[in-house]
Amino acid sequence: MQRLLKNTALEQSPGSEISIDINNRNGTIDGNHHNHQDQLLGTKQTVLALSDIHKLVQPLKTNLEAQKRDEKFRARFHLPNTEHLIHQVNASHPVEEERDPESIETNSRSNKAAAITNKKKNKESPTITADSNSNNTKSDSPDGRGSPESTKSSNNETSKDEKKEAEKHKTTTKTVLYTGQLSLSESFLTFSSTEKGLFFETVLPLYAIRRVERVSDKDHVFSIKLVNWHHGTVVFHLNVTKQEYDTFSTELTTNLRQQIKFMKMMKQFMTTCASEALVNNKTPEEFDAIPGGLGLLFEFPGDPKKLKDRAKMREWKKIFLEHGRNLTVVKTPRFAKLVRFGLPNRLRGELWETCSGAIYQRFMNQGLYERLLEENKDKNSLSREEIEKDLNRSLPEYSAYQTPQGIDSLRRVLTAYSWKDPELGYCQAMNIVTSAILIYMSEEQAFFTLSVLCDEMLPGYYSTSMYGALLDQIIFELLLETTMPVLFNHFKKADIQLSVACLPWFLSLYINSMPLMYAFRVLDCFFMDGPRILFQIGLAILKINGDELMQATDDGAFINILKSYFNTLDDPLYPDSPSPKARTLTKFNALLLVAYREFNGITGEKITELRRSHQPKVVAGIGSFTKRSALRNLDHSGNLTKEEQSIVYDKFYNVLYYKKVTNEQKQQPRYDSRVDQASFELLMCSFAKWAKLSSDDQAFDQERQAKVSSHFMNRLFKQFDTNNMNSLSLQDVIIGIGSIVKGDHNSQIKLFFDLHDVDQDGYLSKEEILQFSETLLWLFRNTSDESHLNAVSTFLHNAFEYSETKQETDAIEDGEKYLSVASLRMIVFANEILEQFFDHEFAQTIELAEKPVEKQRSFGKEIFDGLFATGAKLAANGRIQMRSMAMSPTPSKTSAITSSSSAMSTPSLSSDPLPIKSVEHEESDKDLGVDSDEQDGDVDDDDEEYNEDEGEDVMEEVDRLLKEYGDDSDDSDDGAI
């Protein structure tokens, strides 16, 4: 479960090295440091006055705003997580573009009609037309010079000339001035149009820039001219002041110098790009030598002629020559149209990684893929076992995955990713997506594209809980309700579960739902437009089939209608049309048209905002379902009620959430479902007050207090660990806690006997009896009366008095005396205080009841309040705060046990799922007032003085007994509290 919690945040939190303890009644803020020993014993505390709160909060707010801005910037341009927005200015960008083919065709027809009309009128010379957006004039004559010989040609020749002229018009360019924002980060310079309805975007890595110049003219005073790796020229006119211009230029120059070292990697990297071979007119043999997907060996799906692959390659060659390629490509409106038209097989893989931003990660991490495979080739992990199970279920209809070569390729990519992100490892549905992209991508390309998919584009989709896909299902239903309320209400009345059919669409990116060729067309749009296209396509499917779906009365009919539709996506839309072009249009073309026209209002920003607002609801639902499933599958309830089991579950996984694990531990089976001894101590802190070290404990004899505490916790941990695995499962903890809470006095006495019978011989030796008494003193350290001290003193006296020799021969000869469990039971029953302690008091120290304020807060809200308010760094510190108390030290008495219970302060992380509570929680805590123990501890001065004297007398008796029955050879300080 904690794997889910650690990955639910859609944005990074600001983080801080200081946490605020809202339970501190002294009006101070305690700064928690990283040293674990300091946290445990409280020897170092930074105390800040309330007047400094604003100084702490303001940087957090500023950092949060900056991180939200950076996150939006990275998502907009598909940049690595290492990038931060440094500077942003308004700018304009002139671009030479091809004229719109539709306007060109319209112009051509009008010119043709005008030419024919003029020929009928006295054989006048050909009309000369001019492109209003171009400086070059064109003639209707074949040679373009307006030659009079053209007037002598026949009507047939005129028709041919006009066709040639129309072709020339199609290649006419125009200059378009895009207005937008120019942004600078550590490694990238980006520009995007801000004009409504205009798509233009360029992402230029600084390591791909050869030269930068300052240019200016009378219309644009502040401009910069860039020459990229492919010798393309890019000009930006900055709409800034002189000071802003100088600042931007300085920052750009500084970052360029830092990126020069990466430019030497460009030449080698370009040999892996198919676009380079296309532009440089490489031979087919040289082209095939460039790394590519499995389609090069096993053929690409579909008929190349029907897909017009050659024509698409010619169009993309023009784009690459005019607007750059791979690392320097510029995304113009023409670029977007060609992507939606369908990518050519040989360029599809490269354009996928270019649009998704995976190409930038592949460039900066060259060799990482091979290194991960090599370094981990002899290692085993749970992920590798899961991968092997799914390999033969990955696109079995494609021939490559029926051969060892295809299976091995898929195995290597999935395994490499599991080592790159061991916490996530491998999850089902990864194999489907990876097997699809491997058809068009090399293994290295597929590896980095999978990373971008899992980490950035579809967070939480491929995880054990699939919370990301479930979250998007909620958003999808919300969008359906907004755009098609009639259909939504019908589904609701008929009790049709939309997720039954639609969840697989999102998880497999439509690969398992549509014919492969059309699923790849959806992927083309997905990598360019982002996750929003999944929603647009899904809504378009429901809209197109709306009439039939309104007749569906159950889930089965709903699924059958959609299956039938997917099987007909290749059917012609207008089979009887006289137009050849119309007859080539299919139902899939209509699907894309509806998706982009009818649902164009669904933007990436809108999806991100909806994800953020609905995320707590999803996590709460998953958490509730996971808890019910886990508790239902327990073999033994430990005699705890369902409510008590639920509380143990929450505390158990709360501790696991803050548990620090190594990469090796992450690869162990179920590492995320077991607590080690350090985490067990934190867990017990959330159950019992005696497990926490207070400031008075720290002030008086802290070393011995820590020693007794460590010994008792260690023995209790081993007692719970019945399977000797050196870690505890939820089942182990429930049985262990249940044995304490539900056990009678005999079982409690036996528990303490076993905890101190270190050699497990069935007897307590002299040293073990002393340790037993020290444990009792440690547990009674916060009592407000002296009767418990007297009880321990009497116990120690009687324990040595009623000790007996073992029945074994060696023990009799040795002369040592030991205490049996029967004698221990007799001694306990002879003392009223100890009898009450073992009968019910010790069991009552384990708190298995939620505070009223905890019941009012939802699981999801609790998680995200903390994640967004305190940040990742505070979350990491939370696991340490549980073991340390936040009160400042107070003078302690000279007795072995601190008699004042007011020293017990509320821990930074008690039974609450998060270390920092919200303001609402803080107010509720204040209303609760002080603990009853604190109220009992308020006595007048005379009583306090009397108690001190009595305590000294009792401790003198304890010291006398320890000296009398202790080992003279031992250090007098050892073994006493």
Side-chain angles (χ1 to χ4, degrees), residues 44-58:
K44 294 183 180 179
Q45 290 289 334
T46 301
V47 180
L48 301 178
L50 286 174
S51 59
D52 293 332
I53 289 180
H54 296 292
K55 295 180 182 179
L56 296 174
V57 174
Q58 188 57 43

Side-chain angles (χ1 to χ4, degrees), residues 643-676:
E643 292 75 15
E644 291 170 336
Q645 292 177 39
S646 176
I647 294 172
V648 174
Y649 176 94
D650 289 341
K651 294 179 182 294
F652 180 86
Y653 280 100
N654 177 50
V655 169
L656 278 179
Y657 178 75
Y658 296 102
K659 175 184 174 183
K660 289 184 178 179
V661 293
T662 63
N663 288 338
E664 290 74 13
Q665 289 175 318
K666 291 176 182 179
Q667 292 301 328
Q668 298 301 318
R670 309 306 300 164
Y671 85 91
D672 57 348
S673 298
R674 305 187 69 88
V675 296
D676 55 17

Side-chain angles (χ1 to χ4, degrees), residues 361 365 368 372 376 414-425 447-448 450-452 455 663 667:
Q361 295 196 17
N365 297 278
L368 174 63
L372 283 172
N376 299 284
L414 293 174
T415 302
Y417 181 78
S418 72
W419 291 116
K420 174 184 176 290
D421 187 357
E423 186 167 349
L424 178 59
F447 168 74
F448 285 104
L450 178 63
S451 298
V452 170
D455 302 341
N663 288 338
Q667 292 301 328

Side-chain angles (χ1 to χ4, degrees), residues 518-585:
Y518 297 120
F520 293 141
R521 292 281 302 276
V522 172
L523 283 180
D524 294 344
C525 301
F526 168 76
F527 283 116
M528 184 184 70
D529 294 321
R532 70 181 178 93
I533 197 62
L534 300 180
F535 298 91
Q536 291 177 258
I537 293 290
L539 292 173
I541 292 171
L542 298 180
K543 185 176 182 65
I544 291 173
N545 296 277
D547 292 339
E548 293 183 63
L549 292 174
M550 288 294 294
Q551 306 303 317
T553 57
D554 53 36
D555 293 338
F558 174 66
I559 294 175
N560 288 334
I561 291 171
L562 296 176
K563 280 186 176 180
S564 300
Y565 172 71
F566 288 135
N567 291 332
T568 61
L569 283 178
D570 198 35
D571 292 353
L573 197 60
Y574 306 107
D576 301 325
S577 174
S579 171
K581 288 186 177 180
R583 289 196 299 271
T584 61
L585 296 177

Side-chain angles (χ1 to χ4, degrees), residues 178-439:
Y178 289 97
T179 301
Q181 289 184 324
L182 184 66
S183 305
L184 177 66
S185 69
E186 291 88 345
S187 306
F188 294 89
L189 188 68
T190 67
F191 178 83
S192 62
S193 172
T194 55
E195 299 179 66
K196 187 176 181 180
L198 284 180
F199 173 80
F200 184 89
E201 177 182 300
T202 180
V203 178
L204 191 57
L206 298 185
Y207 46 77
I209 297 177
R210 293 180 180 269
R211 188 170 65 253
V212 180
E213 300 177 8
R214 291 192 181 192
V215 294
S216 63
D217 54 43
K218 62 179 181 179
D219 295 326
H220 305 94
V221 180
F222 305 116
S223 302
I224 57 174
K225 176 182 177 181
L226 310 175
V227 179
N228 63 31
W229 176 264
H230 296 114
H231 300 283
T233 301
V234 183
V235 176
F236 295 105
H237 304 307
L238 277 60
N239 302 323
V240 294
T241 63
K242 178 67 167 59
Q243 182 179 359
E244 291 174 333
Y245 181 65
D246 291 338
T247 301
F248 185 85
S249 300
T250 301
E251 291 173 342
L252 176 59
T253 302
T254 302
N255 289 1
L256 279 169
R257 288 173 179 169
Q258 295 174 351
Q259 298 296 317
I260 289 177
K261 57 187 176 182
F262 300 113
M263 188 172 288
K264 61 183 179 181
M265 302 160 54
M266 290 287 291
K267 189 173 182 179
Q268 175 62 31
F269 184 80
M270 291 301 163
T271 61
T272 65
C273 299
S275 57
E276 293 295 317
L278 177 64
V279 169
N280 294 320
N281 300 316
K282 298 292 185 180
T283 63
E285 293 76 15
E286 293 174 319
F287 207 108
D288 292 341
I290 297 174
L294 293 172
L296 294 175
L297 298 175
F298 299 92
E299 296 185 354
F300 296 104
D303 183 2
K305 291 184 178 180
K306 188 177 179 180
L307 297 173
K308 301 180 180 179
D309 223 48
R310 287 188 178 182
K312 292 177 181 177
M313 292 287 279
R314 288 195 297 268
E315 290 299 319
W316 279 104
K317 185 176 180 179
K318 291 180 184 178
I319 290 286
F320 293 154
L321 288 171
E322 296 171 5
H323 301 293
R325 51 199 177 273
N326 44 74
L327 289 172
T328 66
V329 71
V330 176
K331 299 174 185 176
T332 64
R334 180 69 175 162
F335 180 99
K337 287 182 180 179
L338 288 177
V339 171
R340 292 166 186 162
F341 186 67
L343 297 173
N345 291 328
R346 193 62 181 90
L347 296 176
R348 179 167 265 149
E350 181 182 320
L351 288 169
W352 280 355
E353 68 168 349
T354 299
C355 291
S356 66
I359 194 171
Y360 308 125
Q361 295 196 17
R362 184 165 71 91
F363 175 83
M364 294 302 296
N365 297 278
Q366 295 180 47
L368 174 63
Y369 173 69
E370 292 81 4
R371 190 165 61 253
L372 283 172
L373 291 176
E374 179 62 26
E375 292 176 354
N376 299 284
K377 62 182 180 180
D378 298 324
K379 296 181 182 179
N380 291 319
S381 68
L382 181 62
S383 294
R384 295 191 70 167
E385 297 175 6
E386 297 296 326
I387 289 170
E388 291 298 326
K389 296 177 184 178
D390 291 342
L391 287 176
N392 292 318
R393 294 182 287 187
S394 307
L395 287 188
E397 64 269 31
Y398 185 63
S399 59
Y401 298 115
Q402 299 172 6
T403 66
Q405 186 172 357
I407 293 295
D408 289 343
S409 181
L410 178 60
R411 178 189 291 111
R412 285 191 293 269
V413 174
L414 293 174
T415 302
Y417 181 78
S418 72
W419 291 116
K420 174 184 176 290
D421 187 357
E423 186 167 349
L424 178 59
Y426 168 80
C427 292
Q428 287 186 343
M430 273 187 188
N431 60 314
I432 302 298
V433 176
T434 307
S435 60
I437 62 179
L438 265 175
I439 297 176

Side-chain angles (χ1 to χ4, degrees), residues 96-109:
E96 291 290 328
E97 289 185 359
E98 263 190 53
R99 296 181 59 198
D100 191 326
E102 294 181 1
S103 64
I104 293 174
E105 188 67 27
T106 302
N107 220 1
S108 176
R109 286 195 298 267

